[in-house]
Amino acid sequence: LVAQNAHPLAVNLSVVSSPQVGITYQVGNSLALRPALNLSWSRSTTTLTFGNTTTTNETTISRVGILLDALFARPGDAPVIPYTGLGGGVSFNHSSSGGGFSGNGPTYSATALFGLRARLITRLYIYGELALRYSAQRTSNSQSDGLALVTTPLGVLVYLK
């Protein structure tokens, strides 16, 4: 995944469902490890009216995630390089609602992905990925499992000197 004579360490920035910042470390000619940090915070307000009664509820959700992907590609320095990968992660969640609901707990994920990386200039690349992601969320009040196709339409990869 790395260009010839380039540093084995790169910074990567992408947006999946929330911004993600990480590094890509070239372990060998065809294997790279990509640890990343994902942060998100959201607040929503819902107003419901039934007859003469109006109820307003505010919900806040905070999430911090740690991810690790192993990326596999054939060695080479072509302008566009296809690759595959396997990964996993855990995010720590906190949600609270004005209606008294509060949920804390982790979300675990496992991912299989396919991507394309294109060189723009010597150490600057862009990439896009399509992934199949399984997630299992466990909070103090609920449990949920899901399977989804997830896209990373644009990521930026900058190799260090």
Side-chain angles (χ1 to χ4, degrees), residues 11-67:
V11 175
N12 60 279
L13 309 166
S14 64
V15 176
V16 181
S17 58
S18 61
Q20 183 173 300
V21 178
I23 59 170
T24 299
Y25 181 71
Q26 194 68 36
V27 177
N29 285 335
S30 60
L31 173 64
L33 295 178
R34 183 175 64 187
L37 181 63
N38 184 321
L39 304 167
S40 68
W41 178 85
S42 66
R43 180 175 54 195
S44 64
T45 303
T46 306
T47 303
L48 301 171
T49 303
F50 296 104
N52 294 330
T53 305
T54 300
T55 304
T56 301
N57 187 36
E58 184 174 280
T59 302
T60 303
I61 301 171
S62 304
R63 178 173 292 146
V64 176
I66 301 167
L67 309 162

Side-chain angles (χ1 to χ4, degrees), residues 57-122:
N57 187 36
E58 184 174 280
T59 302
T60 303
I61 301 171
S62 304
R63 178 173 292 146
V64 176
I66 301 167
L67 309 162
L68 178 62
D69 295 326
L71 307 175
F72 308 95
R74 290 190 354 194
D77 194 29
V80 177
I81 298 174
Y83 59 92
T84 58
L86 296 172
V90 61
S91 61
F92 303 95
N93 313 299
H94 174 75
S95 60
S96 62
S97 174
F101 169 79
S102 178
N104 298 300
T107 299
Y108 303 99
S109 64
T111 304
L113 64 91
F114 171 78
L116 290 173
R117 187 192 72 178
R119 182 178 60 231
L120 297 179
I121 56 176
T122 304

Side-chain angles (χ1 to χ4, degrees), residues 134-139 142-146:
Y134 168 76
S135 61
Q137 183 174 14
R138 306 295 183 250
T139 67
S142 66
Q143 296 183 26
S144 66
D145 296 286

